Amino acid sequence: MSDLHRFGISIDERLLASFDELISRKGYQNRSEAVRDLIRNTLVEDQWNRGDEETVGTLTLVYDHHTRDLADKLTEQQHHHHDAIVSALHVHLDAHHCLEVIVVKGKAREVRHLADELIGTKGVKHGKLVTTTTGKGIL
Ligand code: NI
């Protein structure tokens, strides 16, 4: 682990009380760990917003496989972007619905584009991209 640094923060009393209430609900042991997580989240978000950074994430899709040609379309799109797709998990949720979790990797801009394309495909009922980091460079 790299050297730990301590620093002080001036903060409004009400804001601190709200923060303490939040971190208590979330089960943090202390403010330091909560602040570290906030910083990490902000850095990861910034990495995604810069567009050209190498990133990693997961894309979750729920769709009805009876929708005409939908499963084929989603497979076709994934093959088209195969460089950005690390792995895919398919779960048959019930008689109609499929859940796919796709691990995506690559430049943030391209991964977002791929996610938007898949989520926006007609018949996809819900989709969400969870953005995280390769950990290189910022954490
Ligand atoms: Ni299925």
Side-chain angles (χ1 to χ4, degrees):
M1 184 189 254
S2 55
D3 291 340
L4 283 177
H5 290 262
R6 295 176 66 90
F7 66 98
I9 300 174
S10 302
I11 187 169
D12 176 81
E13 193 179 337
R14 272 184 57 188
L15 187 58
L16 182 60
S18 297
F19 185 63
D20 283 344
E21 192 272 322
L22 172 84
I23 67 177
S24 160
R25 253 190 301 119
K26 288 186 175 272
Y28 282 101
Q29 298 299 307
N30 55 58
R31 287 177 185 152
S32 290
E33 190 50 37
V35 169
R36 280 192 289 270
D37 270 2
L38 284 177
I39 292 172
R40 289 185 193 110
N41 280 337
T42 304
L43 289 170
V44 169
E45 195 177 314
D46 178 63
Q47 189 180 47
W48 275 87
N49 288 334
R50 276 183 276 149
D52 286 328
E53 299 287 317
E54 280 297 311
T55 50
V56 65
T58 56
L59 173 62
T60 299
L61 300 173
V62 174
Y63 60 92
D64 185 335
H65 79 273
H66 290 121
T67 304
R68 198 164 179 273
D69 298 333
L70 179 56
D72 284 348
K73 264 187 219 158
L74 293 174
T75 302
E76 184 65 34
Q77 284 162 318
Q78 291 183 56
H79 276 277
H80 185 67
H81 296 281
H82 64 90
D83 284 348
I85 294 180
V86 179
S87 183
L89 167 77
H90 186 109
V91 178
H92 309 302
L93 285 179
D94 56 31
H96 305 281
H97 295 99
C98 299
L99 166 76
E100 274 192 26
V101 181
I102 304 163
V103 179
V104 287
K105 191 176 180 183
K107 289 197 191 323
R109 187 179 295 113
E110 290 160 16
V111 170
R112 246 188 228 290
H113 175 75
L114 164 63
D116 287 344
E117 193 178 297
L118 289 168
I119 293 169
T121 302
K122 194 175 174 217
V124 172
K125 292 190 167 182
H126 184 248
K128 195 167 181 70
L129 175 67
V130 174
T131 57
T132 181
T133 179
T134 61
K136 286 182 196 149
I138 58 168
L139 300 183

